Amino acid sequence: MLKLNFKKMNGLIPVIVQDHEKGDVLMMAFMNEEAWKKTLESGKAWYYSRTREKLWLKGEKSGNIQIVREIFVDCDDDTILLKVEQVGQAACHTGYRSCFYRKLNGDLKVVGEKIFDPEEVYKEKE
Amino acid sequence: MLKLNFKKMNGLIPVIVQDHEKGDVLMMAFMNEEAWKKTLESGKAWYYSRTREKLWLKGEKSGNIQIVREIFVDCDDDTILLKVEQVGQAACHTGYRSCFYRKLNGDLKVVGEKIFDPEEVYKEKE
C-alpha cells in the first residue's frame, strides 16, 4: 500500500511533470495530501501553491490542464513523477511550453518555445 | 546575470536530473549555494543531502557520477533542470537506473531497470 512521505517537507512533496509522449520536462510543483487525493480522483493535476497558500487545479485559468497518464514514485516515497498530456501544449504561466525555457550558457538564453501570450490568457487575473 | 533564489526553500533549490540523450528522469535532489558553485566549477553534479546535512558529490561512493551536459533554469529562478551523462547508467542508490522505478497502477509495480546490486557497490558504506 502506497504511503507517501509528506512529513519530510512539512506536508508537501515535489512533483516533476513530464510530457507523456515527448518526454520533455514541463514544470515542477508541489502537492499536499489533498492535492494528491484530488489528482488521483480526477485524473487531472492538482497542486498546492506555496505563495498563494491554496490548492490549485493546473490550468484552471488558462485552460491548459494536465491529464495524468502515468504516475511514478521515487525510491524514498517523497517525490512524484507525473507523465501528463499537456492540454494547450504549454505548461508555464509565462506562455512557454516548459518552465525550463532558459538555458545557462554563460548567461541565460531563451531556448524554449513560446506558445501563448500570458497578457491575453490571464487578462482577468487579479 | 543569473541569481538563483535559494531563499524560497531555506537555502535549497530542487534539481531535476534527466538523461541528456534518452530523456528519462533519473532523480531529484537539492542543491545549496555551495553545491551549485561546485557543480558549475567541476562540471559534475554536487548536491546537498538534507538527511546527512552535508555536500555530496553524486557517485562519490558508487562511481556513478553525473557529467553535466546542459543546465536549464525555471521561470522563477528557483528550480534547476540538469541534463547529464549518467556514468554507470544508474542514478538510484537502490541500483535502479532511475529513482522513479515504480509505477502506480492500483499498487506500486516495479517497472524500472536494475543495473547494479547496492549491497555489492556500497559494501564499505557505514
Side-chain angles (χ1 to χ4, degrees):
Chain A
M1 174 65 187
L2 172 60
K3 187 88 184 124
L4 292 178
N5 183 353
F6 285 95
K7 286 183 192 155
K8 212 161 169 183
M9 277 191 60
N10 298 318
L12 300 179
I13 47 169
V15 180
I16 301 166
V17 187
Q18 192 178 24
D19 185 275
H20 78 115
E21 281 183 340
K22 296 182 186 162
D24 52 335
V25 174
L26 299 172
M27 56 183 273
M28 209 211 68
F30 292 87
M31 286 184 189
N32 63 3
E33 203 153 2
E34 199 182 343
W36 170 242
K37 282 183 187 154
K38 287 175 87 78
T39 298
L40 291 180
E41 285 164 11
S42 67
K44 294 168 189 163
W46 282 80
Y47 302 107
Y48 181 81
S49 168
R50 295 173 300 165
T51 44
R52 291 181 286 151
E53 296 181 352
K54 57 174 235 178
L55 279 185
W56 157 55
L57 170 66
K58 168 68 191 161
E60 64 192 349
K61 284 179 184 156
S62 64
N64 289 4
I65 63 168
Q66 293 172 337
I67 299 165
V68 176
R69 292 301 194 94
E70 292 179 291
I71 300 175
F72 297 83
V73 179
D74 87 325
C75 49
D76 294 324
D77 296 330
D78 63 7
T79 310
I80 292 294
L81 171 63
L82 288 188
K83 297 202 182 182
V84 305
E85 180 184 333
Q86 177 62 64
V87 171
Q89 296 300 319
C92 188
H93 73 287
T94 58
Y96 285 90
R97 168 159 173 81
S98 164
C99 292
F100 300 95
Y101 63 92
R102 295 172 306 162
K103 181 173 167 177
L104 187 60
N105 193 356
D107 246 349
L108 280 179
K109 314 274 190 233
V110 170
V111 295
E113 188 186 0
K114 191 139 186 179
I115 307 283
F116 67 80
D117 176 359
E119 289 196 14
E120 190 60 33
V121 166
Y122 297 113
K123 61 185 169 190
E124 288 178 17
K125 200 174 174 184
E126 66 279 11
Chain B
M1 175 66 189
L2 173 60
K3 187 90 185 122
L4 292 178
N5 184 353
F6 286 96
K7 286 183 191 154
K8 211 159 167 185
M9 274 190 61
N10 298 317
L12 300 178
I13 46 169
V15 180
I16 302 166
V17 187
Q18 193 178 22
D19 185 274
H20 78 115
E21 282 183 339
K22 295 182 186 163
D24 51 335
V25 174
L26 298 172
M27 55 182 275
M28 209 212 69
F30 291 88
M31 288 184 187
N32 63 3
E33 204 153 0
E34 201 183 342
W36 170 242
K37 282 183 188 153
K38 286 175 89 76
T39 299
L40 291 180
E41 283 163 13
S42 67
K44 295 167 188 163
W46 282 80
Y47 302 109
Y48 181 82
S49 166
R50 296 173 297 165
T51 43
R52 292 182 286 151
E53 295 180 354
K54 57 174 233 177
L55 280 185
W56 156 57
L57 170 65
K58 168 65 192 163
E60 65 192 350
K61 286 181 182 151
S62 64
N64 290 2
I65 63 166
Q66 293 172 337
I67 299 165
V68 176
R69 294 302 194 93
E70 293 180 289
I71 301 176
F72 296 83
V73 180
D74 86 323
C75 49
D76 294 325
D77 296 329
D78 63 7
T79 310
I80 293 294
L81 170 64
L82 289 187
K83 297 201 181 182
V84 306
E85 180 184 333
Q86 176 62 63
V87 172
Q89 297 300 320
C92 189
H93 73 287
T94 58
Y96 284 90
R97 169 160 173 80
S98 164
C99 292
F100 300 95
Y101 62 92
R102 296 172 303 162
K103 181 173 167 177
L104 188 61
N105 194 356
D107 247 348
L108 279 180
K109 313 275 189 235
V110 171
V111 294
E113 188 186 1
K114 191 142 186 178
I115 309 283
F116 67 81
D117 175 359
E119 289 195 14
E120 191 58 34
V121 167
Y122 298 112
K123 61 186 167 189
E124 288 178 17
K125 200 175 173 182
E126 67 278 13

